[in-house]
Amino acid sequence: MEFFIDRDLPVPLRTQLQGLIEYGIACGELVPGETLPSVRELAEKIGVAPMTVSQVYADLKAAGLIDARPGSGTFVTDSLHARQAGRPDTSALHRHIDELIDESRAMGIRSAELVAMVSSRVFYRDSIGSRMRIVMIGLFPDATASYARVIAARLGRGATVEPLTISAIERSAEARARANSADLAITFANKHREVTTLVPNTKVVSVSFTPSEETRMALASLDSLASITVVSRFPDFLPIMKSGVQRFAPHVSEVLGATLDTPGLDGLIARSRVVVYASGAEEIVARLPDGMQAIEYRHAPDVADIERVVVPIVRDAGMLTPPASGDRTVTDIEA
């Protein structure tokens, strides 16, 4: 992966570097086991103080995304084996039930309501037959629903895939109960630890995400004279997003970058012919002049990672079947 800092962006250098590595891991640019440059090497390469790199590495290590081995260097972590631990035995199941009872009481859910919730879930599971129930946990409802559809299309009738957002799980007892009763949760690599904390009763795996085919085609088809403003909600995503736009539209010479909070954003937009906005920054569309082209920079789960990480789990459960034409494997529930 190419490490870089864009000093033209209205984002602190430390935030840029941390976001570059985090999203590099989430998007498959940095793979488990890959060696990262030393603090001094990276500082010299991108032109920042070694302390900046050291602080970023410390934060990423605390998040469980990288690790340092004395004498060997710094590596992207691989916790796949820990995440693929076997199913719990009956004693562990009892502990999970006790935890669910304690959690429901802390939320103010009465015992009768909890029993009804469990009974309705059992009825639902019985009604759909022997299927693995998977939740795709993302950040934004529309994008997460599209991720779920991609995964469901690959897994076929042996699994249902329900989209849920992190914010929905945090604010809704029902959404949290649905996530904690799933057989498997899928999320981004850089959100794995957060999601594991939110859904302790569910096995969590992460897959890489790449810009969707629609996004790549839209960028590749732009006129070479077009000027682009790239807009993200999150400052730490902006550097890697701008780099991606430049990769898929290398023929466009002017690519500016901004967040929704950047002062003078409307002036930047006025200088451009096209706005490319990240998922979650859709509100920018309402601010565009009539007729201005807007392209969503949307990601999609990496098919190779679905095959490598998710398919073996579903297959081992004996539930992998070919998808049938018109078969709906994404549930209708969205929070």
Side-chain angles (χ1 to χ4, degrees):
M1 175 177 173
E2 181 182 358
F3 294 88
F4 60 89
I5 291 296
D6 191 334
R7 297 180 184 276
D8 292 331
L9 294 177
V11 179
L13 301 184
R14 178 178 172 181
T15 301
Q16 285 195 43
L17 179 58
Q18 182 160 339
L20 181 70
I21 298 175
E22 278 196 11
Y23 288 102
I25 294 172
C27 299
E29 297 272 346
L30 293 169
V31 299
E34 184 169 345
T35 306
L36 296 176
S38 70
V39 169
R40 185 171 299 277
E41 289 172 343
L42 185 53
E44 291 178 353
K45 179 178 179 62
I46 62 178
V48 300
M51 179 60 70
T52 299
V53 178
S54 180
Q55 291 171 335
V56 168
Y57 275 9
D59 290 344
L60 294 172
K61 184 177 180 180
L65 296 178
I66 66 172
D67 198 8
R69 303 173 191 169
S72 299
T74 302
F75 299 82
V76 177
T77 57
D78 181 6
S79 55
L80 181 61
H81 297 301
R83 300 198 301 270
Q84 290 185 342
R87 291 180 178 274
D89 58 16
T90 304
S91 297
L93 179 60
H94 289 164
R95 289 197 299 273
H96 290 326
I97 294 173
D98 290 340
E99 291 170 357
L100 180 60
I101 293 171
D102 293 339
E103 184 178 0
S104 67
R105 287 176 177 170
M107 295 177 181
I109 300 174
R110 296 178 298 178
S111 297
E113 294 172 336
L114 177 62
V115 170
M117 188 181 299
V118 173
S119 295
S120 64
R121 176 52 59 185
V122 171
F123 176 79
Y124 168 74
R125 293 293 299 277
D126 289 343
S127 67
I128 66 173
S130 180
R131 297 187 185 184
M132 175 174 282
R133 182 168 164 269
I134 299 173
V135 288
M136 172 63 227
I137 301 179
L139 297 175
F140 308 108
D142 289 345
T144 304
S146 72
Y147 305 154
R149 286 193 291 270
V150 171
I151 296 169
R154 175 60 191 89
L155 300 180
R157 298 185 302 277
T160 63
V161 185
E162 176 183 351
L164 285 172
T165 62
I166 289 176
S167 60
I169 296 172
E170 290 175 334
R171 70 173 183 264
S172 166
E174 181 185 358
R176 179 171 294 192
R178 296 207 307 269
N180 274 290
S181 63
D183 299 303
L184 181 69
I186 302 173
T187 192
F188 305 96
N190 60 326
K191 294 296 180 181
H192 185 275
R193 177 169 291 189
E194 180 179 356
V195 169
T196 300
T197 302
L198 285 174
V199 292
N201 297 334
T202 299
K203 181 177 182 178
V204 180
V205 298
S206 55
V207 297
S208 298
F209 286 75
T210 59
S212 68
E213 182 178 359
E214 293 80 5
T215 295
R216 296 196 302 267
M217 291 179 62
L219 292 172
S221 65
L222 288 176
D223 189 300
S224 61
L225 298 179
S227 54
I228 300 174
T229 293
V230 175
V231 181
S232 170
R233 175 176 292 277
F234 302 116
D236 56 356
F237 182 57
L238 186 57
I240 199 168
M241 179 185 172
K242 180 181 175 182
S243 175
V245 170
Q246 291 171 322
R247 181 194 312 173
F248 297 116
H251 53 291
V252 178
S253 59
E254 185 176 32
V255 180
L256 307 174
T259 68
L260 290 173
D261 298 326
T262 297
L265 176 57
D266 291 334
L268 289 177
I269 292 174
R271 290 174 50 189
S272 303
R273 290 174 54 187
V274 181
V275 166
V276 180
Y277 62 93
S279 298
E282 293 85 356
E283 64 190 74
I284 194 64
V285 176
R287 296 167 59 175
L288 304 184
D290 291 342
M292 174 172 279
Q293 183 177 2
I295 299 172
E296 180 180 3
Y297 192 83
R298 176 169 287 187
H299 282 74
D302 187 278
V303 175
D305 245 20
I306 297 175
E307 293 284 341
R308 180 181 67 86
V309 178
V310 182
V311 168
I313 297 173
V314 180
R315 181 183 292 119
D316 289 346
M319 297 180 183
L320 187 64
T321 59
S325 176
D327 186 49
R328 184 169 178 80
T329 50
V330 180
T331 62
D332 293 317
I333 304 171
E334 273 191 64

